[in-house]
Amino acid sequence: MNEGLERIAQRAKTDPACRFTALAHHLTEDLLRDTWQRMNRKGAAGVDHATAEEYAANLDSNLKRLVEGMKRRYYRAPHVRRVYIPKAGNPSKLRPLGVPTVEDRLLQSAVSRILSAIYEADFLDCSYGFRPGRTAHQALAALRNEVTFGGAQYVYEADIRSFFDLCGIPHKSNYAELRIMPNGRRRAAWEAGFGSERSA
């Protein structure tokens, strides 16, 4: 793990009440380069039609420009290309899929690594959904072990569709602020960012 991420993770683990106020300085060229090596680069191109191969051809200069853009606050996430793919189990219905640009996907992955370093400390060991290094197969193995040896008598399956839309909890800002608190002028931008979804 990146040294900066290790420090964040350690602080989050040892101080559950800690609310982080400054994280942008962790988005360095080194972190972005490491994230580039780890991320899936096989995805489709976004609205700029740039492929991962094209981005990699000038990786160092692209990363330098990206970091500079964030530091000077002129980086703006590009629109997301919207495509429709057949739904699993019902090919006659389509579901929307957003395809970000390669560069924005890289930045999202790096930000996700920073946030994961904070929030991983708060998850229970029995939580598997969308966590790094955790798979659905591991969840099934843990469930099988609990049912076989742990004394469980019932298994309930539930698919909570649009839970946060229907329950009225403004989850994005409230839950994020449990551990991350932007201060001063950044707070307005933070809240505005949570409220906006761009698509093309």
Side-chain angles (χ1 to χ4, degrees), residues 72-113:
R72 293 178 180 256
R73 299 182 183 205
Y74 62 75
Y75 176 82
R76 297 291 178 265
H79 290 284
V80 174
R81 185 166 65 91
R82 180 73 64 205
V83 295
Y84 292 87
I85 60 172
K87 274 191 166 183
N90 190 354
S92 63
K93 290 198 173 184
L94 300 176
R95 73 177 179 92
L97 185 68
V99 182
T101 64
V102 172
E103 183 169 77
D104 200 49
R105 196 163 68 234
L106 168 62
L107 186 55
Q108 288 177 28
S109 297
V111 170
S112 176
R113 290 180 68 194

Side-chain angles (χ1 to χ4, degrees), residues 21-41:
T21 58
L23 296 169
H25 66 279
H26 290 287
L27 287 167
T28 62
E29 288 181 48
D30 287 340
L31 177 66
L32 289 167
R33 188 173 291 102
D34 185 54
T35 302
W36 177 260
Q37 298 303 323
R38 295 166 181 256
M39 73 180 248
N40 178 4
R41 299 188 296 273

Side-chain angles (χ1 to χ4, degrees), residues 146-158:
E146 182 63 30
V147 169
T148 306
F149 305 109
Q153 296 180 5
Y154 301 97
V155 175
Y156 294 95
E157 180 182 355

Side-chain angles (χ1 to χ4, degrees), residues 105-132:
R105 196 163 68 234
L106 168 62
L107 186 55
Q108 288 177 28
S109 297
V111 170
S112 176
R113 290 180 68 194
I114 293 171
L115 296 179
S116 290
I118 296 169
Y119 287 105
E120 275 297 306
D122 297 336
F123 280 110
L124 298 176
D125 192 50
C126 61
S127 177
Y128 287 84
F130 301 100
R131 290 179 66 193

